Amino acid sequence: MTDKIEDLASKCSVIISMLPNDAAVNQVSNVILENSSTGTIHISCSTVSPTTSRKLANIYKSQSKQFIAAPVFARPDGLARRQAVWMIAGEENGRKIAANLLESSGRIVDYGDDTGSANVVKLCGNFLIASSIEAIGESMALAEKHGVERTEVMKLLSSTIFDCLIYKGYGQRVSERDHRPGGFSLELGLKDVTLVSQAAREADTPMPFLSVLLDRFTSAKARGRGQMDWSAIGMSVGEDAGIDMTKDIERNAQAVRDGDLYK
């Protein structure tokens, strides 16, 4: 065991990392490249820009090493139940090694040689999740403003026409205003919608809903909610509708201070 990346890079032929942002992936990659041997494979499970993955793949290849993108759709409980979905892209033999190492925790989807393609898929998925959270928040605010019990509305919707993992999980959290940390932080959500925006600009792809999400996450983070679950943007929707969120905001803020994690 070691806590030094330099030691891992010098001793291991395959390194798996899961890091919070592009800067961290670049920093760790620099250390790996400086200290590893020819043929070393770095499997990156981080959600990063496709441009970052492609640039790193080229740098690794120039040193006869490999950078494999392997972002994942799964919360911690999903990983424990072997329900993860891994998107893998990069050089063929590296993809095979990554698949062999990761398949025990879920499903492997191979996206071929273009390393950035796996990251594009991951960003598309996270954009849809964030959009769903926003839509749930707006719907719950509408129900509440008309005097209809929002939690009962969400239970109905998520057990009928929206009977799926995202609407069940985030529907419960938004309708009950339970945004304790322990899943995916709002700060990381802002990072991801920012990455989507960068990718959209690079490809000349207009995404009007994305503009709403960027403002929503930026506003929530500015209000000190960065360490809450990213579903906390639902409280901002309620505030915009004139709903008194004071007790809910304080309860979730206290959970952050106490380290009270959502399970």
Side-chain angles (χ1 to χ4, degrees), residues 8 12 22-23 26 47 62 65-66 79 89 150 163 169 176 190 226 242-243 246:
L8 286 174
C12 300
D22 292 52
N26 279 313
T47 302
S62 70
K65 302 168 186 179
Q66 292 185 46
L79 278 170
R150 64 180 186 276
D163 185 3
E176 296 180 2
L190 174 58
I243 298 170
T246 306

Side-chain angles (χ1 to χ4, degrees), residues 30-244:
N30 287 338
V31 178
I32 292 174
L33 288 165
E34 290 174 4
N35 294 274
S36 59
S37 303
T38 298
T40 295
I41 298 173
H42 177 190
I43 302 170
S44 171
C45 305
S46 309
T47 302
V48 297
S49 162
T51 298
T52 294
S53 278
R54 288 166 179 148
K55 287 181 178 178
L56 286 173
N58 287 333
I59 295 171
Y60 274 76
K61 188 173 183 178
S62 70
Q63 297 188 21
S64 299
K65 302 168 186 179
Q66 292 185 46
F67 181 88
I68 303 297
V72 59
F73 288 124
R75 295 174 72 90
D77 55 338
L79 278 170
R81 293 195 297 267
R82 298 182 178 181
Q83 296 174 342
V85 179
W86 302 90
M87 290 74 65
I88 296 178
E91 294 186 52
E92 184 176 5
N93 70 311
R95 297 201 313 271
K96 290 180 179 178
I97 290 171
N100 288 336
L101 292 171
L102 300 173
E103 64 184 355
S104 63
S105 61
R107 176 185 172 193
I108 303 295
V109 184
D110 191 321
Y111 279 93
D113 295 334
D114 176 14
T115 314
S117 62
N119 299 107
V120 171
V121 177
K122 173 63 172 176
L123 292 179
C124 288
N126 280 12
F127 167 69
L128 287 172
I129 296 171
S131 299
S132 298
I133 295 171
E134 171 70 19
I136 292 167
E138 293 181 18
S139 298
M140 295 303 97
L142 178 63
E144 185 167 355
K145 292 286 286 193
H146 278 273
V148 183
E149 173 52 51
R150 64 180 186 276
T151 57
E152 294 303 317
V153 172
M154 196 65 241
K155 287 177 184 178
L156 168 67
L157 295 174
S158 64
S159 63
T160 54
I161 58 174
F162 294 104
D163 185 3
C164 63
L165 178 66
I166 297 301
Y167 275 84
K168 282 183 176 295
Y170 287 111
Q172 178 183 1
R173 296 198 75 168
V174 173
S175 64
E176 296 180 2
R177 295 175 185 156
D178 184 353
H179 309 297
R180 288 173 292 167
F184 189 67
S185 74
L186 190 146
E187 187 172 35
L188 289 178
L190 174 58
K191 181 266 294 185
D192 282 3
V193 295
T194 301
L195 289 176
V196 175
S197 179
Q198 292 171 357
R201 289 198 303 272
E202 290 170 1
D204 294 328
T205 305
M207 300 180 72
F209 288 174
L210 179 60
S211 298
V212 174
L213 293 174
L214 282 167
D215 287 344
R216 185 69 77 193
F217 278 95
T218 299
S219 174
K221 182 175 181 291
R223 289 169 171 162
R225 300 169 196 170
Q227 299 308 308
M228 295 181 190
D229 186 80
W230 67 331
S231 60
I233 63 169
M235 294 194 296
S236 299
V237 177
E239 287 175 304
D240 285 353
I243 298 170
D244 184 4

